[in-house]
């Protein structure tokens, strides 16, 4: 579809790549219309004042001055707790799929870092000739509308260091940019077009001024970032195994193995699988977020634990995320999208920017050492 | 997907937590970024404790024991059975034949109603909580400085301290998030002094580490006090009374280097921000009151703040709501007639005059067949009390035992009636964290299966005794609490909603003005190693669960972390005893024995063995006996002596 006939009678080009503009109230109309047919997940304001994404019942719930949700967007497709299938406990084994919801969901307003991470998790959950049906049942039925960051929402944001924001070049169904009073929408995919078609609001093609405003906002956005993370040196250090052991000992002594970094990280995907009894007749197999930081993660049946000490686990996470091998396997993704959540969630300064800095300054094994 | 803002039920730090729900189950949790103390952090327990709430191992229906096995019954039958059982004991023995155990994990409103029920309906002051097993809860007046004098450091300001003394504390496991504030202080350049027989987390960063013989803590603290008072002419009298604690004596009883002690005293004399943290390692000692006196004196003469850690999420609330045999709310004694009359006026019922039995005394009296009946809410005393066998014998002696809990605990197995209770995620109420911060707990799902909130259950029981009890909701109960409790004055659910996380009715970060009595004689622990039992047993947490691991067992991730149970030996001792790592050893004490595989640990003191407090197949309480601290009447069981044999 490349032309939409709007209320005003104009025809607006809706090709992929087109940029259109709409006012807030038109965006609200669009969302309202979409909500008649699809679920919408949007940012809301919790009673303490912070941003939390949830499925909304009405457009009035949307918190328009939102910042960012500490809880990562991967949770919409890869839930912290999820039932996989049922099985009967007595008699010949029969597995019963738990039917996934076929309802389309619009994820409205996630940030560029989360949208970029979804590109990675799409790859992860379909890689190695195995497609994770649970993830894709939700993902395939979702429409991603990401909101570019005109200003970094957290002090700890550093997406400019990982090429994952604040504005995206691709990887979105729709990207929205707040021009102040109105929104510019960039159409990324067919799904984005679907949303606009269902939205049936007043759209206008972006004019020259609006396009140059976007360029202005992009330049300005970069200047606001307070946190920086220099990846290059760290990746070289890790890949060539030139990090002092004392640094890992220091990190290990600090860590309380809470797993906040991995749980909050949009790029982390480890999960544990466990069975439980629903009642006398059925058992259920479920999965939940796991973390390489938990001691039990690598515990073997004998009780032996190859990474029994926290320092081994912190080291392992860094070696995983910051190695060149990671980038090679994963289409040149860094192990990080600079969302800054680990900086907030880690109580002991073992977040990516601090680790990179300390590796570079204290942990480098020089030539000949 | 819905969410609700609540307070974590994991430990006494009281971190903010967001609970997500979908299809009637908790689907995930998130930390709360702008919470005043947790600031976006959650520990391992906080992230995973929701799994216990979701567990299908929850007790689904009320249970009645018939011919030794449990049968599921309706709530009507169960409540009727409990009421009849309680009335029977009341008729025969009166209130003194009944003992009530309140919970450190239920809300303030529930503990208050339980206390009211026990005193005004069951006519008993035999009510206590199990906080005494692990953390310092105040029973006697001398320590009102902890809640009135405000020497607690707030969690927020903890990282601003320049010197921190940690004694008897595995802080990173007990209150992990508070432990991380210590780490934050370290990163800002703070000096850390650690006193513990076993090197614990953050020991690597300590500037001075004293690896002391168990039982020598009082001597060490008084030794530090003596060094601090050396130059202070005005305190000569106090200084002279500490004559015993000189270099030879201290080195003799504790095995530490006196020069290190001097370093600690020098550090504490500096005019910077200082903090002393103590917890279960010190609490579980028969000389606790003397140790606390020592700490408070040091704090007074150095201007330090003091921190007493608290394992359970609402242990402070339980004490403040009067779950103690001799106090009503706010630590006020029952024999304070004015206070007592104030309560009686509002309750329109009288309260028995004399203080009741504490939990140890209750078990003692049960052993002697004087206490006939117990009502245990949310505590697994058959596991968490020291001297497990003695506790279980006491429970077996009872005519009638009612247990109210989420899971079939070891205590519940002894019960005549088991009532399924709801979790913190299934009710409205408040928790008070260890700073005294009162925070809301909010409901995200309905009580699972046929469980009910503890509040509902207590109300149903009350209906069996009173013709027309007033219907009460958590906000109304808080109103009543606020009207009778000076430190809760003005707290309402509206205020709690508006001032999210900020209500702390006790002042924090203040000063001590009193001096505490010093013990002039050497407090020799009678349980020193001897020929028959040559080793000290030390026991502390190694995994992130509490004493009985009730909640952790039923979570996939938490349960996985429960250690399988090992006994740690110093390699030198292991060589002498001819043990290799992994070999089975039998650890024998006066009270029992345990068989566990050996693990070598060079970081524990020679002459000591270490067993985790709780592990998958058991609990070190099987070995540990109890001996009461005479002043505080709480048991000391740190210094337990054992011998080690080949299994």
């Amino acid at each position: 579809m490349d032309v939409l006939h709007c209320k005003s009678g104009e025809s607006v080009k809706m090709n992929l790549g087109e940029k259109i503009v709409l006012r807030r109230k038109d965006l609200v109309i669009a969302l309202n219309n979409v909500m008649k047919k699809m679920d919408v997940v949007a940012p809301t304001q919790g009673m303490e004042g912070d941003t939390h994404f949830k499925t909304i019942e009405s457009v009035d719930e949307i918190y328009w001055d939102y910042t960012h949700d500490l809880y990562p967007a991967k949770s919409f497709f890869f839930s912290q707790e999820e039932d996989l299938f049922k099985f009967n406990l007595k008699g010949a084994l029969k597995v019963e799929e738990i039917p996934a919801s076929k309802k389309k969901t619009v994820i409205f307003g996630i940030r560029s870092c989360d949208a970029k991470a979804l590109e990675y998790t799409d790859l992860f959950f379909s890689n190695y000739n195995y497609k994770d049906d649970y993830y894709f049942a939700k993902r395939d039925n979702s429409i991603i509308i990401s909101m570019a960051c005109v200003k970094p929402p957290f002090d700890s944001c550093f997406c400019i260091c990982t090429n994952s924001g604040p504005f995206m070049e691709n990887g979105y169904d729709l990207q929205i940019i707040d021009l102040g009073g109105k929104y510019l929408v960039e159409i990324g995919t067919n799904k984005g077009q679907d949303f606009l078609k269902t939205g049936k609001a007043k759209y206008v093609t972006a004019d020259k001024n609006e396009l140059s405003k976007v360029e202005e906002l992009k330049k300005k956005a970069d200047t606001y970032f307070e946190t920086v993370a220099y990846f290059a040196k760290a990746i070289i250090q890790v890949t060539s195994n030139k990090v002092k052991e004392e640094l890992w000992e220091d990190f290990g002594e600090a860590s309380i193995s809470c797993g906040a970094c991995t749980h909050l990280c949009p790029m982390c995907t480890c999960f544990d699988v466990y069975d439980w009894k629903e009642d006398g007749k059925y058992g259920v197999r479920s999965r939940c977020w796991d973390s390489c930081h938990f001691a039990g993660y690598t515990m073997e049946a004998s009780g032996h634990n190859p990474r029994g000490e926290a320092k081994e686990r912190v080291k392992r996470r860094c070696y995983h995320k910051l190695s060149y091998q990671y980038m090679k396997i994963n289409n040149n993704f860094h192990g990080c999208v600079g969302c800054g959540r680990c900086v907030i969630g880690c109580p002991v300064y073992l977040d990516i920017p601090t680790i990179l800095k300390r590796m570079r300054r204290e942990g480098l094994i020089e030539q000949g050492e | 997907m819905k969410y609700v803002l609540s307070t974590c039920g994991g430990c006494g730090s009281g971190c903010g937590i967001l609970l997500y729900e979908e299809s009637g189950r908790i689907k995930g949790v998130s930390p709360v970024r702008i919470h005043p103390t947790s600031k976006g952090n959650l520990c391992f327990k906080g992230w995973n404790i929701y799994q216990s709430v979701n567990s299908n191992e929850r007790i689904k229906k009320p249970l009645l024991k018939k011919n030794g096995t449990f049968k599921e019954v309706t709530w009507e039958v169960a409540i009727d059975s409990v009421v009849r059982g309680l009335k029977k004991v009341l008729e025969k023995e009166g209130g003194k034949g009944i003992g009530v155990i309140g919970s450190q994990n239920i809300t303030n409103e529930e503990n208050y109603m339980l206390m009211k029920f026990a005193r005004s309906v069951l006519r008993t002051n035999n009510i206590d909580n199990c906080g005494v097993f692990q953390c310092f809860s105040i029973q006697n007046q001398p320590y009102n400085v902890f809640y009135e004098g405000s020497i607690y450091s707030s969690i927020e300001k903890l990282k601003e301290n320049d010197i921190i003394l940690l004694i008897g504390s595995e802080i990173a496991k007990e209150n992990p998030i508070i432990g991380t504030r210590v780490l934050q202080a370290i990163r800002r350049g703070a000096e850390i002094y650690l006193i513990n027989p076993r090197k614990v987390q953050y020991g690597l960063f300590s500037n001075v580490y004293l690896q002391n013989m168990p039982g020598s803590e009082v001597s060490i603290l008084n030794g530090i006090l003596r060094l601090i008072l050396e130059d202070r002419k005005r305190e000569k009298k106090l200084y002279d009374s500490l004559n015993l604690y000189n270099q030879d004596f201290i080195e003799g009883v504790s095995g530490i280097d006196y020069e290190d002690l001097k370093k600690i005293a020098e550090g504490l004399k500096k005019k910077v921000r200082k903090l002393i943290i103590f917890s279960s390692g010190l609490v579980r000692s028969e000389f606790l009151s003397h140790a606390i006196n020592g700490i408070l004196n040091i704090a007074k003469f150095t201007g330090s703040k003091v921190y007493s850690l608290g394992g359970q999420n609402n242990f402070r609330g339980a004490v403040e709501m009067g779950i103690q045999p001799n106090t009503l709310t706010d630590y006020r004694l029952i024999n304070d007639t004015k206070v007592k009359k104030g309560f009686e006026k509002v309750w329109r019922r009288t309260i028995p005059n004399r203080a009741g039995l504490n939990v140890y005394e209750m078990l003692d009296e049960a052993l002697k067949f004087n206490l006939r009946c117990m009502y245990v809410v949310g505590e697994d005393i058959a596991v968490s009390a020291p001297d497990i066998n003695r506790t279980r014998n006491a429970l077996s002696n009872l005519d009638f035992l009612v247990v109210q809990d989420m899971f079939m605990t070891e205590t519940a197995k002894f019960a005549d009636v088991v009532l399924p209770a709801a979790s913190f995620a299934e009710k409205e109420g408040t928790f008070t964290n260890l700073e005294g911060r009162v925070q809301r707990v909010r409901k995200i799902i309905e009580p699972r299966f046929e469980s009910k909130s503890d509040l509902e259950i207590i109300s149903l029981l009350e209906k069996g005794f009173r013709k027309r009890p007033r219907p009460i909701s958590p906000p109304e109960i808080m109103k009543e609490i606020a009207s009778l409790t000076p430190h809760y004055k003005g707290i309402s659910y509206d205020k709690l909603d508006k001032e999210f996380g900020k209500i702390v009715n006790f002042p924090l970060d203040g000063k001590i003005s009193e001096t505490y009595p010093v013990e002039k004689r050497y407090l020799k622990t009678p349980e020193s190693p001897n020929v028959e039992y040559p080793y000290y047993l030390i026991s502390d947490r190694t995994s992130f669960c509490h004493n009985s691991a009730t909640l952790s067992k039923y979570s996939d991730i938490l349960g996985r972390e429960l250690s399988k149970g090992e006994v740690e030996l110093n390699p030198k001792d292991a060589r002498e005893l001819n043990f290799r790592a992994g070999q089975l050893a039998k650890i024998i004490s006066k009270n029992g024995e345990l068989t566990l595989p050996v693990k070598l640990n060079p970081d524990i003191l020679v002459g000591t063995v270490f067993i985790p407090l709780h592990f998958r197949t058991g609990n070190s309480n099987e070995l540990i006996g109890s001996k009461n601290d005479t002043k505080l009447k709480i048991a000391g069981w740190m210094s337990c002596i054992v011998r080690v044999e080949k299994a």
Side-chain angles (χ1 to χ4, degrees):
Chain A
M1 157 199 89
D2 48 30
V3 165
L4 181 74
H5 294 280
C6 278
K7 275 193 193 168
S8 60
E10 286 173 53
S11 44
V12 179
K13 282 222 185 94
M14 308 285 266
N15 293 332
L16 301 185
E18 285 294 338
K19 302 180 207 297
I20 59 170
V21 171
L22 59 165
R23 296 166 298 175
R24 157 90 65 93
K25 62 182 223 202
D26 293 312
L27 184 52
V28 169
I29 291 171
L31 284 164
N32 251 323
N33 286 332
V34 166
M35 272 174 80
K36 294 177 187 152
K37 298 206 172 123
M38 311 181 199
D39 276 342
V40 172
V41 173
T44 62
Q45 189 174 29
M47 73 183 312
E48 88 286 25
D50 211 359
T51 307
H52 303 290
F53 276 76
K54 80 182 221 331
T55 316
I56 54 173
E57 310 287 314
S58 126
V59 216
D60 297 328
E61 288 180 66
I62 299 182
Y63 177 31
W64 293 101
D65 294 324
Y66 75 107
T67 50
H68 199 19
D69 194 343
L70 185 58
Y71 202 56
K74 68 183 178 185
S75 61
F76 303 131
F77 309 109
F78 167 50
S79 189
Q80 188 171 353
E81 193 73 31
E82 183 167 21
D83 294 341
L84 303 177
F85 55 79
K86 273 192 196 191
F87 50 91
N88 55 307
L89 293 171
K90 300 184 177 126
L93 181 67
K94 243 175 58 181
V95 167
E96 212 182 280
E97 290 291 338
I98 296 177
S101 155
K102 290 272 187 281
K103 194 164 188 200
K104 278 200 147 72
T105 309
V106 172
I107 314 284
F108 173 76
I110 60 170
R111 298 300 190 174
S112 308
C113 48
D114 277 324
K116 183 80 178 182
L118 284 178
E119 271 185 62
Y120 166 76
T121 51
D122 285 351
L123 181 68
F124 175 83
F125 282 108
S126 61
N127 217 343
Y128 313 113
N129 295 321
Y130 178 77
K131 197 171 181 208
D132 190 306
D133 293 324
Y134 304 98
Y135 175 88
F136 282 102
K138 297 178 221 154
R139 186 73 180 91
D140 291 338
N141 282 325
S142 68
I143 302 178
I144 304 293
I145 304 180
S146 67
M147 176 83 75
C149 295
V150 163
K151 248 191 186 165
F154 287 160
D155 290 336
S156 54
C157 290
F158 58 100
C159 61
I160 45 173
C161 303
T162 51
N163 197 30
S164 40
F167 287 70
M168 294 185 74
E169 303 302 317
N170 50 39
Y172 47 81
D173 295 318
L174 292 176
Q175 173 168 241
I176 296 190
I177 301 164
D178 187 349
L179 301 176
K182 48 188 172 168
Y183 296 95
L184 185 130
V185 178
E186 297 182 314
I187 307 175
T189 65
N190 294 330
K191 281 185 178 175
Q193 290 172 326
D194 280 341
F195 175 86
L196 293 172
K197 188 173 173 200
T198 318
K200 289 202 203 107
K202 180 167 186 218
Y203 311 126
V204 180
T205 308
D207 64 36
K208 224 171 34 175
N209 288 332
E210 283 153 353
L211 290 176
S212 67
K213 179 88 199 258
V214 170
E215 292 312 305
E216 195 190 301
L217 286 170
K218 277 186 185 173
K219 285 204 187 101
K220 238 181 155 187
D222 283 355
T223 66
Y224 290 116
F225 282 81
E226 289 187 16
T227 305
V228 287
Y230 296 116
F231 277 83
K233 197 71 185 267
I235 293 176
I236 296 171
Q237 267 181 276
V238 161
T239 308
S240 53
N241 204 9
K242 285 206 187 318
V243 183
K244 287 188 180 152
E245 197 59 32
E246 290 86 44
L247 194 63
W248 302 122
E249 283 182 15
D250 181 287
F251 288 163
E253 185 72 2
S255 173
I256 55 166
S257 305
C258 66
C261 51
T262 50
H263 279 7
L264 294 176
C265 178
M267 300 286 282
C268 276
T269 49
C270 285
F271 55 88
D272 192 32
V273 176
Y274 64 99
D275 295 335
W276 50 280
K277 281 193 234 165
E278 187 176 58
D279 50 34
K281 285 183 20 207
Y282 290 104
V284 181
R285 175 158 292 179
S286 298
R287 72 173 171 195
C288 62
W289 286 355
D290 202 347
S291 172
C292 54
H293 271 256
F294 295 155
Y297 181 79
T298 37
M299 175 102 75
E300 295 165 2
S302 65
H304 170 63
N305 192 344
R307 292 196 203 108
E309 289 179 66
K311 77 167 193 225
E312 298 298 326
R313 304 194 288 266
V314 176
K315 181 176 179 181
R316 184 259 158 208
R317 173 169 155 254
C318 295
Y319 270 66
H320 173 77
K321 283 196 174 298
L322 303 172
S323 67
Y324 179 57
Q325 288 88 323
Y326 183 99
M327 293 177 78
K328 259 172 61 175
I329 296 172
N330 296 306
N331 282 11
N332 279 331
F333 266 97
H334 280 95
C336 174
V337 287
C339 68
R341 290 181 172 104
C342 56
V343 181
I344 299 171
C346 179
V348 293
Y349 312 119
L350 289 179
D351 52 88
I352 295 286
T354 310
I355 288 180
L356 296 180
K357 183 167 77 178
R358 292 191 63 187
M359 272 171 56
R360 200 174 73 245
R361 286 193 180 163
E362 302 164 45
L364 180 63
I365 298 178
E366 302 286 356
Q367 290 271 52
E369 262 183 87
Chain B
M1 193 144 100
K2 281 193 346 241
Y3 67 79
V4 90
L5 192 66
S6 186
T7 304
C8 181
C11 82
S13 309
C15 299
I17 194 171
L18 208 81
L19 300 170
Y20 288 103
E21 172 273 349
E22 201 172 278
S23 317
R25 297 245 305 277
I26 300 183
K27 279 307 191 159
V29 304
S30 169
V32 178
R33 196 170 64 99
I34 57 182
H35 188 272
T37 57
S38 65
K39 301 201 200 256
N41 301 141
L42 269 183
C43 76
F44 174 67
K45 248 192 306 188
W47 276 106
N48 297 301
I49 205 170
Y50 73 93
Q51 293 192 317
S52 322
V53 174
N54 280 345
S55 168
N56 264 32
E57 299 299 306
R58 301 267 300 264
I59 308 174
K60 300 183 174 68
K61 287 179 180 212
L63 300 167
L64 200 61
K65 197 179 254 170
K66 279 197 175 107
N67 299 326
T69 50
F70 282 114
K71 296 255 167 359
E72 288 182 336
V73 294
T74 61
W75 272 103
E76 240 187 276
V77 169
I79 295 289
D80 184 60
S81 175
V82 173
V83 169
R84 273 189 292 116
L86 290 171
K87 279 186 173 163
K88 197 167 156 200
V89 178
L90 267 177
E91 269 169 54
K92 262 176 70 184
E93 317 277 335
K96 63 174 173 47
I98 302 182
V100 177
I101 304 283
S103 174
Q104 304 166 78
N105 302 92
I106 64 180
T107 65
N108 291 326
E109 292 78 1
E110 289 169 335
N111 269 326
Y112 176 79
M113 293 307 287
L114 180 65
M115 190 261 299
K116 190 178 182 181
F117 178 62
R119 297 196 210 277
S120 66
V121 174
L122 296 182
R123 316 294 311 145
T124 182
N125 281 328
N126 299 341
I127 179 165
D128 203 0
N129 69 82
C130 295
V132 290
F133 297 152
Q134 287 183 83
C135 45
F136 177 55
S137 63
I138 302 114
Q139 282 211 335
N140 284 343
Q141 281 297 15
Y143 300 122
N144 48 0
V145 68
F146 275 99
Y147 50 89
E148 263 179 45
S150 70
I151 48 159
Y152 265 118
S153 165
S154 62
I155 298 176
E156 249 181 302
K157 294 217 166 78
L158 209 152
K159 67 176 193 271
E160 294 170 18
N161 286 292
D162 303 297
I163 289 182
I164 299 180
L165 168 62
L166 280 158
I167 176 164
S169 166
E170 168 71 279
I171 188 172
K173 295 283 191 308
E174 186 160 0
N175 288 112
I177 295 299
I178 299 183
T180 62
R181 294 345 185 209
V182 171
L183 187 282
Q184 290 177 6
I186 294 171
R187 294 292 192 225
R188 292 161 81 117
E191 273 183 48
I192 304 293
Y193 308 136
L194 180 68
I195 304 178
N196 204 318
R198 181 173 176 269
K199 205 168 196 181
V200 294
Q201 188 167 3
Y202 301 148
L204 197 72
F205 299 138
S206 58
N207 299 73
V208 181
Y209 170 42
L210 299 183
Q211 192 166 32
N212 64 307
M213 277 309 248
S216 61
E217 287 82 11
V218 174
S219 309
I220 292 178
L221 288 167
N222 283 336
I224 295 175
L225 181 63
R226 186 170 174 271
L227 284 166
I228 288 170
L229 296 176
E230 227 168 11
D231 310 318
R232 296 176 78 143
K233 298 196 185 111
R234 266 195 242 160
E235 307 299 337
K236 190 163 187 312
K237 194 166 167 213
L238 184 58
Y239 177 74
D240 287 339
S241 72
L242 292 163
N243 267 333
L244 178 63
Y245 304 100
N246 57 28
Q247 174 162 2
D248 288 331
F249 176 74
I250 299 238
E251 287 186 342
V253 302
S254 67
I256 62 162
D257 188 345
Y258 196 67
E259 291 305 308
D260 285 335
L261 202 71
K262 275 188 177 172
K263 283 187 201 149
I264 294 183
E266 280 309 307
L268 288 172
K269 280 199 263 188
K270 292 187 199 159
K271 289 205 188 315
V272 290
R273 279 173 294 224
K274 294 160 288 204
L275 178 66
I276 304 174
I277 300 179
F278 73 94
S279 92
S280 49
L282 203 64
V283 171
R284 287 178 279 138
S285 148
E286 60 224 69
F287 301 124
L288 173 62
S289 54
H290 299 286
I292 294 190
N293 289 353
I295 290 178
L296 290 176
N297 283 335
I298 295 174
K300 177 191 171 173
F301 290 108
T302 58
S304 305
K305 301 282 170 289
V306 178
Y307 226 94
S308 162
L309 295 180
Q312 306 280 9
N313 52 298
N314 202 21
F315 87 93
R316 180 160 173 163
V319 173
E320 288 180 357
M321 289 300 112
I323 304 289
Q324 286 191 136
N326 57 341
T327 60
L328 291 163
T329 63
D330 236 4
Y331 314 98
R332 292 165 303 167
L333 295 174
I334 283 192
N335 53 24
D336 181 338
T337 345
K338 188 163 167 225
V339 172
K340 184 161 168 287
K341 284 215 161 73
F343 276 81
E344 287 173 336
K345 188 166 171 209
V346 174
W347 290 1
R348 284 189 237 149
R349 286 207 149 198
T350 56
I351 299 173
N353 278 321
R354 281 187 311 174
L357 306 168
N358 68 30
V359 56
Y360 291 108
E361 291 166 340
M362 285 191 232
L363 293 171
D364 265 339
E365 295 301 308
L367 275 171
K368 294 186 218 160
F369 292 95
N370 291 333
L371 195 78
R372 312 302 311 139
C373 155
M374 279 179 84
Y375 174 31
V376 178
V377 178
E379 291 286 355
D380 195 3
I381 53 173
V383 171
S384 54
D387 207 343
I388 281 186
N389 292 320
R390 190 166 159 278
T391 312
R392 293 177 190 194
N393 286 337
L395 294 173
S396 309
N397 284 359
L398 297 169
D399 282 340
F400 193 58
L401 174 62
V402 182
V403 172
Q404 188 167 308
D405 215 317
M406 283 168 66
F407 293 99
M408 182 56 82
T409 58
E410 294 304 309
T411 313
K413 290 181 184 163
F414 286 89
D416 296 289
V417 187
V418 179
L419 305 171
S423 72
F424 78 100
E426 298 161 337
K427 57 194 173 186
E428 303 285 342
T430 57
F431 285 157
T432 305
N433 82 344
L434 50 73
E435 295 170 297
R437 194 176 296 262
V438 183
Q439 299 185 98
R440 278 279 274 122
V441 167
R442 296 188 178 89
K443 188 179 189 173
I444 185 66
I445 55 175
E446 289 301 318
R448 297 193 65 222
F449 305 111
E450 287 184 39
S451 69
K452 290 185 193 287
S453 71
D454 296 276
L455 188 63
E456 240 193 292
I457 301 175
I458 296 164
S459 306
L460 286 171
L461 289 177
E462 228 190 321
K463 281 205 184 100
F465 288 85
R466 298 175 76 163
K467 288 223 180 78
R468 284 183 308 159
R470 283 181 302 130
I472 22 101
S473 64
E476 287 176 294
I477 300 173
M478 180 48 81
K479 213 167 153 197
E480 187 173 306
I481 295 172
S483 71
L484 288 167
T485 312
H487 281 110
Y488 282 68
K489 186 171 158 190
I491 294 186
S492 69
Y493 274 43
D494 269 335
K495 191 169 182 209
L496 286 163
D497 282 349
K498 284 203 194 93
E499 294 181 33
F500 161 73
K502 294 204 189 80
I503 297 182
V504 187
N505 275 8
F506 289 82
L508 293 168
D509 303 314
K511 281 202 172 118
I512 304 180
S513 48
E514 240 182 279
T515 313
Y516 291 84
V518 160
E519 184 53 56
K520 292 192 193 135
R521 321 158 286 135
Y522 171 39
L523 295 169
K524 187 177 188 304
T525 156
E527 297 261 297
S528 288
N530 51 37
V531 170
E532 206 190 342
Y533 301 103
Y535 293 93
Y536 268 120
L537 168 69
I538 310 168
S539 194
D540 209 335
R541 297 156 197 274
T542 49
S543 34
F544 294 92
C545 35
H546 292 304
N547 211 333
S548 56
T550 310
L551 289 182
S552 305
K553 257 191 280 192
Y554 299 102
S555 144
D556 171 55
I557 299 284
L558 288 177
R560 195 178 65 180
E561 304 292 315
L562 267 177
S563 68
K564 61 181 172 140
E566 289 168 319
V567 54
E568 288 181 10
L569 298 179
N570 187 293
K572 189 160 175 282
D573 287 327
R575 258 194 306 274
E576 264 180 40
L577 292 163
N578 201 10
F579 271 104
R580 285 202 320 273
Q583 277 187 312
L584 285 178
K586 208 193 286 190
I587 323 297
I588 303 166
S589 80
K590 283 189 209 153
N591 297 296
E593 62 179 57
L594 279 176
T595 303
L596 295 167
V598 166
K599 178 178 172 184
L600 301 179
N601 183 358
D603 283 333
I604 64 167
L605 205 59
V606 169
T608 62
V609 307
F610 176 87
I611 296 180
L613 201 52
H614 34 235
F615 42 93
R616 253 175 248 150
T617 49
N619 192 297
S620 59
N621 282 339
E622 307 222 18
L623 297 172
I624 296 174
S626 60
K627 181 176 179 347
N628 290 349
D629 174 303
T630 45
K631 196 168 199 186
L632 293 176
K633 290 194 190 162
I634 53 187
W637 37 292
M638 172 77 163
S639 48
C640 166
I641 48 178
V642 295
R643 68 169 178 272
V644 184
E645 287 175 4
K646 292 271 166 130

